[in-house]
Amino acid sequence: MINQRTDIEHIAAYKRDSELVKTTLEGDSKSFARLMTLYKKRVMALGMSFFKNTTDTEDFVQEVFLKAYTKLDTFRGESMFSTWLTRIAYNTAINSINRRNEYVPLADESLLEDPADTPEEAQIRRITAEVIRESVKELPEQYGICLDMYFFYDLSHAEISKITGLPVNTIKSHIFRAKQILRDKLVERGFA
């Protein structure tokens, strides 16, 4: 049942995004604004993983959407728009930091402040995220990136492959090893 709902949601998102891309290319700027609204949190979260501050991340988000807008005619619809956009964001971030190993996993969309959270829920979220983030920091960089994209961006192995350029089997291996290492570290710290 869950997989069926996820498939239906993916199909609906694909159709919605394809229509928004089409109308943007026909000159409707409001359609691209809608795409930005739909995916700004995702791009922002990825930017926070790399840049760790809002000023650089906001500049990064603008750069990513500008690149996406200027390259929109190259989107062929062979993947989800979100996958295509995330690949642009990932490549932009990698190029921006010149591979200086500044990626800090788990700055995902759900960790950005949610005004609906009570102060207690927000504190629990921050503490839990910090414990996990500290454990994930010790993972090799590629493991952390693959783990982030798989669990927190809800991307498939194939989508992660398109974004990172790594083979699917390598991604599966990275995620498997990352989970093993993370589980061991959390047990070692008394959290499992």
Side-chain angles (χ1 to χ4, degrees), residues 70 102 104 168:
T70 59
E102 293 184 16
V104 178
V168 171

Side-chain angles (χ1 to χ4, degrees), residues 11-175:
I11 292 168
Y14 178 83
K15 287 180 180 179
R16 176 201 64 215
D17 293 352
S18 294
E19 182 61 27
L20 289 171
V21 167
K22 179 180 174 247
T23 55
T24 299
L25 291 171
E26 292 170 352
D28 181 6
S29 61
K30 290 180 183 177
S31 292
F32 192 74
R34 175 78 175 123
L35 286 169
M36 288 177 62
T37 300
L38 289 167
Y39 296 109
K40 183 177 182 180
K41 276 188 175 183
R42 173 184 288 238
V43 174
M44 184 84 126
L46 185 67
M48 287 297 287
S49 296
F50 282 95
F51 303 108
K52 300 183 252 9
N53 69 70
T54 54
T55 303
D56 290 341
T57 299
E58 288 170 357
D59 290 343
F60 164 77
V61 169
Q62 288 180 357
E63 183 179 357
V64 168
F65 281 112
L66 180 61
K67 283 183 179 182
Y69 185 76
T70 59
K71 295 179 180 185
L72 196 58
D73 62 338
T74 67
F75 176 67
R76 295 184 305 251
E78 295 171 357
S79 65
M80 299 284 291
F81 176 80
S82 60
T83 302
W84 181 80
L85 180 64
T86 304
R87 180 172 177 86
I88 290 172
Y90 175 80
N91 288 334
T92 300
I94 290 293
N95 291 336
S96 294
I97 64 165
N98 294 321
R99 294 197 153 285
R100 288 181 291 161
N101 203 19
E102 293 184 16
Y103 184 81
V104 178
L106 296 176
D108 68 288
E109 297 166 21
S110 67
L111 297 180
L112 299 174
E113 292 298 318
D114 184 351
D117 281 351
T118 66
E120 294 82 17
E121 290 170 330
Q123 182 65 13
I124 290 169
R125 181 181 291 203
R126 279 191 292 276
I127 290 169
T128 304
E130 188 58 35
V131 168
I132 294 171
R133 188 178 294 115
E134 288 303 314
S135 296
V136 173
K137 276 183 186 178
E138 298 171 22
L139 292 172
E141 181 182 9
Q142 287 295 335
Y143 288 13
I145 290 170
C146 291
L147 192 73
D148 250 7
M149 290 185 179
Y150 185 74
F151 285 108
F152 298 105
Y153 292 94
D154 197 29
L155 297 173
S156 70
H157 295 114
E159 290 170 320
I160 297 169
S161 177
K162 287 179 184 176
I163 291 166
T164 64
L166 297 171
V168 171
N169 286 337
T170 301
I171 290 163
K172 288 178 182 179
S173 175
H174 284 356
I175 292 169

